[in-house]
Amino acid sequence: MENHVTQISRDDLDDLRDAFNRIDVDNSGYVSDFELQELFREANFCLPGYKVREIVEIFIAGDTNKDEKISFDEFVSIYQELKSKELSETFRKTVRRRDGIRSFGGTSGNSSEGTQHSYSDEEKVAFVNWINKALAKDTDCQHLLPMNPDDESLFTSVRDGILLCKMINHSQPDTIDERVINTKKHATFKMTENLVLALNSASAIGCTVVSIDAHDLMAGKPHLVLGLLWQIIKVGLFADIEIGKNEGLIGLMTDKENLDELMSLSPEELLLRWVNRHLRNAGTDTISNFSEDIKDSRAYFHLLEQISLQEEQEYKLRVKIDMSGLSVRDLDQRAELMLQQAARLDCRQFVSPHDVTSGNSKLNIAFVANLYNMHHGVQKEINGGNSIGTIHVEPETNEEKTFRNWMNSLGVSPHVNHLYWDLCDGLIIMQLYEKVNVPVNWKKVNNPPYPVLGANMKKLENCNYAVKLGRDEARFSLVGIGGENLNEGSRMHTLALVWQLMRRYTMSVLPDAGQGGDKVEDQVILNWVNNTLSQKRKDTQISSFKDKLISTSLPVIDLIDAIAPGTVKWDMVKRAQKGVLKEADKLNNAKYAISLARKIGARVYVQPEDLVKVNPKMVLTLFASLMGHGLNKAKR
């Protein structure tokens, strides 16, 4: 250690200790490449994926004892290498302590002595207020609400898992069948079941939960609780900021771009365009971000006024926005006056005056997203007088949504908002290869920013490499698929590759899958399902993953009962009457079955409609996940 420290000042060493503790998000006393990438995300620092990978490569090289973990000593050594590179300043900017951050000691038994972690007090207050409002009328949460935003009650309120399950359903309705939530007894075992259900359901809607387990949440670790809640809340806020769900957004397309380019925009980018459309209508300057440019509240005052004017035109109802606050010189006072006007539109959420004047990007994006969602009438104006109003966009299919959520749950970067356009440069596919143990030579990959001239050629080269890896290393069946198909966003070809990636990932949970993930054939899974059902004297064996009996979900429910006896509440299960099961009853069974699977610990991404319609691909992933869980449980 001495030879590492002598070249670094005491102040720098203290900064490094603070940085290390902020990266060590799981209280282990070590850091990993995943935790490093999580830090950059949480720091709201827009760092290209290739830059993160460069730093990760230095981390791996600095793993002197090759234990796949980085200790503080190794971290100091790595910093010395970073210090001589351009990356150093980028790194220091990211790990530097920010305003509004609270520190707390490690609570895990694995924590290194003196470990400190940090969380944003502003985020805690914002999330508490949002949850209090969202779940105010939920009788199952009355023992928890309202929470006090000024104390630590949020971190204890997640212990029994009920609040998390309810917030997931608030963001994505019907994700969890609430008949499965343990709402009565608060024994540790029952609370753990709820937390496992919440984590697996959060994963199914695209949240990254790989560094969190039920014990972390029961312990109320603030940084992990806030990180998970932000992901869940963001899913709900951004759910309708998507062109497939709201074709009115097509009107935000500029004269110089086509629909494909507009479709590739993230929800944050669409929100920025939506705000700027209103600012142009108000005859005032536009903004380019939700941090520096909104600190003076000017944009927000004009946005609120434009929304009010539009709703007067649409509904003959108007809340007259008082614009006098713009003349107030004190920015904190001005922000408070602006938020009072937002309250008149029932949209005072997520930000305090200080969050506005300090330019808290995360909370300001949440504020604007909620404003957008609360006032749907403003969307109709976007298409007004626009010649492109006849354009129709196909909504996202269930299968596309499942694939996208699966990718995002694995923590790929950047976030996948549109399955085809976000994969057209090959970078997400490369990351997915690594998730299924297919080695990627990143030196062969073109990373952004791409040159103005020849940008698409760089992306095409990536896609060609992705196809080559699929054929030569992963041994996928990619007949008739070329890099140009992925680069052009071809649905058929992209889905063919993505399905094989997801299948490989799903098979990797099975004990005998091996490194390649292909050793387990479909018939092996089918045989295991039927043998397990037979051993428990169930009469719901299936002939294939296309068997129509699967549409009732009874084989799935029986299998769960065989794996985890006592889990199923049989009075909740619908049976056929006179040989026929109604479609509504099939859907209820499917919702119940999927939530039960997640509750017992199987990470499944399938949707209820996949069971009712018997989608053999998704059915296979469900049974494979249950098989993996069953076999692992039998070993314990």
Side-chain angles (χ1 to χ4, degrees), residues 384-397:
N386 199 321
S387 61
I388 62 173
T390 57
I391 295 178
H392 175 67
V393 178
E394 288 294 327
E396 186 177 46
T397 67

Side-chain angles (χ1 to χ4, degrees), residues 357-375:
T357 58
S358 66
N360 186 318
S361 178
K362 178 187 290 186
L363 296 182
N364 277 282
I365 287 172
F367 170 71
V368 175
N370 181 55
L371 187 60
Y372 172 95
N373 291 327
M374 289 287 288
H375 295 274

Side-chain angles (χ1 to χ4, degrees), residues 39-208:
L39 171 67
F40 282 107
R41 276 198 294 270
E42 288 302 313
N44 290 318
F45 195 82
C46 298
L47 195 66
Y50 76 98
K51 281 285 188 187
V52 175
R53 282 191 291 275
E54 284 182 32
I55 295 178
V56 169
E57 285 178 6
I58 294 174
F59 265 56
I60 294 170
D63 184 13
T64 54
N65 56 5
K66 304 305 176 188
D67 61 354
E68 298 185 350
K69 296 186 242 181
I70 304 293
S71 67
F72 179 67
D73 289 3
E74 291 169 325
F75 178 78
V76 173
S77 178
I78 289 163
Y79 172 71
Q80 288 181 302
E81 184 170 350
L82 281 169
K83 200 171 181 182
S84 63
K85 299 190 175 204
E86 177 189 353
L87 292 172
S88 177
E89 186 59 29
T90 295
F91 187 73
R92 287 297 297 275
K93 284 180 182 177
T94 307
V95 300
R96 190 172 296 139
R97 182 178 298 279
R98 295 171 295 164
D99 291 338
I101 297 293
R102 286 198 183 188
S103 297
F104 60 95
T107 56
S108 167
N110 295 324
S111 296
S112 59
E113 185 178 355
T115 297
Q116 291 277 308
H117 295 278
S118 306
Y119 70 90
S120 165
D121 199 52
E122 290 85 357
E123 289 177 20
K124 181 201 70 175
V125 171
F127 297 167
V128 166
N129 289 333
W130 179 251
I131 294 168
N132 282 342
K133 182 178 180 180
L135 303 181
K137 297 180 181 179
D138 195 309
T139 56
D140 293 329
C141 294
Q142 293 309 301
H143 65 295
L144 302 170
L145 303 180
M147 295 177 288
N148 184 347
D150 297 323
D151 63 21
E152 310 301 297
S153 58
L154 172 63
F155 308 123
T156 57
S157 295
V158 300
R159 289 189 71 244
D160 64 12
I162 296 174
L163 184 145
L164 286 172
C165 288
K166 295 289 185 172
M167 283 305 298
I168 288 170
N169 274 355
H170 181 265
S171 286
Q172 287 284 285
D174 291 331
T175 297
I176 297 175
D177 187 329
E178 297 198 359
R179 295 175 294 177
V180 172
I181 303 173
N182 300 319
T183 58
K184 304 300 181 185
K185 297 179 181 179
H186 299 292
T188 300
F189 173 69
K190 294 294 183 182
M191 293 192 292
T192 300
E193 283 188 332
N194 284 345
L195 291 170
V196 170
L197 171 63
L199 284 169
N200 285 330
S201 300
S203 180
I205 64 172
C207 300
T208 305

Side-chain angles (χ1 to χ4, degrees), residues 457-472:
M457 181 58 67
K458 295 295 183 182
K459 296 178 182 180
L460 179 58
E461 289 173 357
N462 286 349
C463 292
N464 287 334
Y465 181 45
V467 172
K468 186 177 188 300
L469 282 175
R471 287 181 179 145
D472 299 346

